[in-house]
Amino acid sequence: MTYRFWCGECGFKTPWGTESEAERGHTDHYATRHAGLRPGGQVETAAKAPAAEGASWVGCTMVAVLGLLFLIIVSACGR
């Protein structure tokens, strides 16, 4: 299980990690950005860290580019 804490004062989110890592990041954020306030916000859990946003289109683009390069090489060798 992975965890991510959301700040109750601003849009800050900790990176996905173990519960203790995420909680430490959350309390460190409050100590530096919201000194004097009690940490608040939400905790988000996931079975495992989700893939980075946008990672799926990057993979598809790479496959498409490699496919086009392969077709160019094959057509150039056939002449």
Side-chain angles (χ1 to χ4, degrees), residues 4-76:
R4 176 167 71 176
F5 282 67
W6 294 59
C7 178
E9 313 304 322
C10 65
F12 174 78
K13 296 178 276 192
T14 65
W16 288 100
T18 64
E19 185 174 15
S20 61
E21 290 170 341
E23 186 175 14
R24 190 175 318 114
H26 186 64
T27 55
D28 290 348
H29 168 76
Y30 263 84
T32 57
R33 296 292 183 123
H34 310 293
L37 293 179
R38 186 173 170 205
Q42 303 175 48
V43 179
E44 187 176 2
T45 60
K48 62 179 184 174
E53 293 178 17
S56 62
W57 74 266
V58 172
C60 286
T61 303
M62 290 295 285
V63 169
V65 168
L66 290 174
L68 285 173
L69 286 173
F70 178 74
L71 289 174
I72 292 168
I73 291 169
V74 167
S75 66

